[in-house]
Amino acid sequence: MKKLQAKTVLLIGILMAPCVMAGTLQVGFSPEGSAHQLVLHTIDSARSSIRMMAYSFTDPSIMKALIGACQRGVDVRIVIDEEGNRGKASIAAMNLVTGAGIPLRTDRDFRIQHDKVIIVDNRSVETGSYNYTLSAARNNSENALLIEDDPGIASQFLSHWEDRWQRGQDWKQTY
């Protein structure tokens, strides 16, 4: 994981405007392992809330980290793509987290809900191509970006998350 000071310039067409960010950026890649570490670091850093959006949802270590966050009093809520999570591994993961008391909804209002986002404590956002799967950790070329301590960015992602949450249907365990 590389840390970068988040002083950047936003390019819109040919117009350049400064974008002031208070936090830091960290990047990770897979299959090298740093993307997976960054995702786990993001979850483990939560003190009050985690809002997650996922396309694929099967990595046991990520499920364990989410359950651990819930057990230490973090308000965890997850919304995932409905059609992309019909397989045995996804159903097992959904049953595991909901069995631990984590609310989870499936969204089928879009052809694919392809978001991969974790919003922590209304201040930090992890996003990128990284799916929350073993294949993403071990086999795929993926990236993850953590924007730490930027409530303005987090607020925009929270609005997007809230829309998808409202569209979703509560997952009922299927044992």
Side-chain angles (χ1 to χ4, degrees):
M1 292 180 290
K2 293 184 179 181
K3 281 195 176 188
L4 305 172
Q5 194 60 29
K7 293 180 182 173
T8 188
V9 175
L10 178 63
L11 179 61
I12 303 173
I14 59 171
L15 176 65
M16 292 179 63
C19 178
V20 178
M21 295 171 54
T24 60
L25 302 176
Q26 293 186 55
V27 296
F29 303 96
S30 71
E32 293 85 355
S34 56
H36 187 254
Q37 290 174 356
L38 188 61
V39 169
L40 293 176
H41 163 76
T42 301
I43 294 168
D44 291 343
S45 73
R47 298 294 165 248
S48 61
S49 66
I50 293 174
R51 299 295 181 261
M52 175 186 252
M53 292 188 290
Y55 173 64
S56 297
F57 187 73
T58 61
D59 185 324
S61 63
I62 293 174
M63 304 311 122
K64 183 179 176 182
L66 290 165
I67 292 167
C70 181
Q71 290 173 341
R72 65 177 189 271
V74 175
D75 178 15
V76 180
R77 295 176 190 223
I78 303 165
V79 60
I80 63 174
D81 182 65
E82 190 272 333
E83 191 167 328
N85 289 284
R86 292 183 180 175
K88 283 184 179 181
S90 294
I91 291 171
M94 294 187 300
N95 285 339
L96 184 66
V97 297
T98 56
I102 297 173
L104 183 140
R105 291 185 177 177
T106 58
D107 179 9
R108 61 176 162 184
D109 275 5
F110 303 93
R111 188 167 126 329
I112 296 175
Q113 183 200 285
H114 210 238
D115 297 292
K116 298 124 180 152
V117 175
I118 301 171
I119 307 150
V120 172
D121 300 339
N122 301 327
R123 301 192 61 77
S124 298
V125 176
E126 181 277 323
T127 190
S129 68
Y130 191 83
N131 283 301
Y132 306 116
T133 65
L134 287 175
S135 187
R138 297 178 181 165
N139 305 319
N140 300 350
S141 177
E142 305 266 3
N143 66 78
L145 171 68
L146 174 58
I147 306 161
E148 292 184 289
D149 199 28
D150 193 315
I153 296 289
S155 175
Q156 293 177 58
F157 274 96
L158 276 169
S159 293
H160 181 69
W161 179 90
E162 184 64 38
D163 179 75
R164 300 317 184 254
W165 178 258
Q166 292 304 321
R167 294 170 183 264
Q169 300 296 313
D170 291 333
W171 172 256
K172 304 294 183 208
Q173 290 180 341
T174 58
Y175 288 106

